[in-house]
């Protein structure tokens, strides 16, 4: 069975600093995807970034990058130059790249607070 | 833009009532999901569906059932609501291939009294 672990329930960071949110996963699938989502206090889930298990390069999307270490089963999210608007819950998720189904499993989340 | 719409933002129901949570997506996605979100537990998968009339149990299906009669609509049913089903419920949809993100609805905060 898939499992996602986010070990940081909460993090506090000064504005403009970089921040790393940890995510480890456990899956028996050979081919899978890793996702990060942001959930502001308004409640909607916003997709941030995706990494495929066979992608050789780490994914980047603007200020977001994914530090993917396959051997360690780690998929940490790095936010550069943090902003006040980055304060939110962040969820890591994993899903198999199978034909016919994509069962997404989420971690417990990390609440990030950016201080001015 | 992909839209996933949940029928209610807030819902209050009595113990023992049958509750329907409706979700509609407008992008012809094959996969649809129902999650519940509780503080400290993150999102837990209740059921998912990869085709019309097809469904699979997630991690916490007990006390819930689902219905997918049309591709765009995925309903979550609480046959007899209980207070421990008070939670935020999130619906999501995605394309069949495993390389694309899921799109979420705005959530339904259900309170069972």
């Amino acid at each position: 069975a898939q499992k996602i672990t986010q070990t940081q329930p909460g993090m506090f960071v000064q504005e403009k600093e970089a921040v790393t949110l940890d995510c480890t996963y456990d899956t028996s699938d050979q081919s899978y995807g890793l996702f990060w989502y942001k959930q502001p206090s308004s409640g909607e889930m916003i997709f941030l970034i995706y990494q495929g298990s066979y992608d050789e390069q780490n994914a980047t999307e603007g200020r977001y990058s994914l530090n993917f270490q396959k051997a360690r089963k780690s998929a940490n999210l790095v936010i550069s130059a943090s902003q006040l608007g980055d304060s939110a819950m962040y969820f890591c998720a994993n899903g198999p790249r199978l034909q016919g189904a994509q069962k997404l499993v989420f971690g417990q989340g990390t609440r990030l607070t950016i201080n001015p | 833009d992909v839209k996933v719409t949940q029928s209610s933002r807030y819902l209050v129901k009595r113990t023992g009532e049958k509750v329907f949570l409706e979700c509609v997506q407008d992008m012809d996605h094959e996969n649809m999901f129902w999650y519940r979100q509780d503080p400290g537990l993150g999102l837990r998968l209740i059921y998912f569906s990869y085709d019309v009339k097809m469904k699979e149990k997630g991690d916490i299906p007990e006390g819930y059932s689902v219905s997918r009669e049309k591709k765009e609509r995925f309903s979550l049913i609480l046959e007899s609501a209980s207070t421990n089903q008070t939670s935020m419920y999130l619906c999501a949809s995605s394309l069949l291939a495993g390389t694309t993100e899921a799109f979420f609805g705005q959530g339904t905060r259900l309170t069972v009294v």
Side-chain angles (χ1 to χ4, degrees):
Chain A
Q2 298 158 260
K3 186 177 179 183
I4 296 279
T5 303
Q6 293 179 252
T7 57
Q8 305 152 311
M11 285 193 71
F12 296 84
V13 173
Q14 284 300 117
E15 190 180 7
K16 298 181 186 175
E17 287 184 355
V19 57
T20 298
L21 305 182
D22 295 339
C23 172
T24 57
Y25 60 93
D26 189 11
T27 180
S28 56
D29 297 303
Q30 293 301 308
S31 180
Y32 51 89
L34 294 152
F35 305 80
W36 277 92
Y37 284 82
K38 173 184 178 180
Q39 187 182 41
S41 56
S42 51
E44 77 274 23
M45 295 283 282
I46 302 167
F47 167 74
L48 295 178
I49 196 166
Y50 165 82
Q51 177 84 42
S53 59
Y54 284 100
D55 294 339
E56 292 189 353
Q57 292 199 336
N58 286 343
T60 60
E61 289 286 347
R63 293 186 300 112
Y64 304 107
S65 60
L66 202 152
N67 184 1
F68 181 48
Q69 298 184 47
K70 193 172 181 178
R72 296 179 62 188
K73 295 194 172 181
S74 165
N76 297 341
L77 176 71
V78 180
I79 306 173
S80 63
S82 58
Q83 302 170 356
L84 295 177
D86 293 334
S87 294
M89 283 289 289
Y90 288 81
F91 292 96
C92 179
N94 168 245
R97 288 172 59 169
L98 294 172
Q99 193 74 17
Q102 181 190 0
K103 181 180 171 183
L104 279 178
V105 174
F106 284 78
Q108 312 93 310
T110 296
R111 182 171 295 283
L112 176 63
T113 302
I114 307 297
N115 295 316
Chain B
D1 277 355
V2 175
K3 274 220 170 116
V4 179
T5 304
Q6 294 181 229
S7 53
S8 304
R9 191 71 193 263
Y10 300 95
L11 214 51
V12 180
K13 295 291 181 181
R14 296 194 179 277
T15 301
E17 275 193 76
K18 189 168 186 175
V19 181
F20 292 86
L21 302 184
E22 306 285 349
C23 176
V24 177
Q25 50 96 2
D26 65 0
M27 281 301 289
D28 204 34
H29 284 171
E30 292 88 355
N31 296 325
M32 294 190 76
F33 309 82
W34 274 106
Y35 294 90
R36 67 176 278 176
Q37 182 180 9
D38 300 289
L41 298 177
L43 276 73
R44 292 179 292 167
L45 182 64
I46 304 171
Y47 269 96
F48 75 105
S49 168
Y50 52 91
D51 202 350
V52 174
K53 296 191 188 296
M54 305 301 288
K55 61 187 179 186
E56 285 201 22
K57 292 180 180 179
D59 299 314
I60 51 164
E62 297 78 19
Y64 303 95
S65 62
V66 290
S67 171
R68 193 161 181 204
E69 297 295 320
K70 293 184 177 180
K71 191 175 185 180
E72 67 270 18
R73 186 180 296 270
F74 192 36
S75 303
L76 180 69
I77 304 156
L78 287 67
E79 293 290 342
S80 177
S82 64
T83 54
N84 62 12
Q85 292 178 309
T86 292
S87 186
M88 170 71 90
Y89 290 87
L90 292 165
C91 173
S93 74
S94 72
L95 286 169
L96 189 63
T99 60
T100 58
E101 71 269 29
F103 294 85
F104 282 81
Q106 77 277 30
T108 297
R109 187 166 292 283
L110 172 68
T111 302
V112 182
V113 298

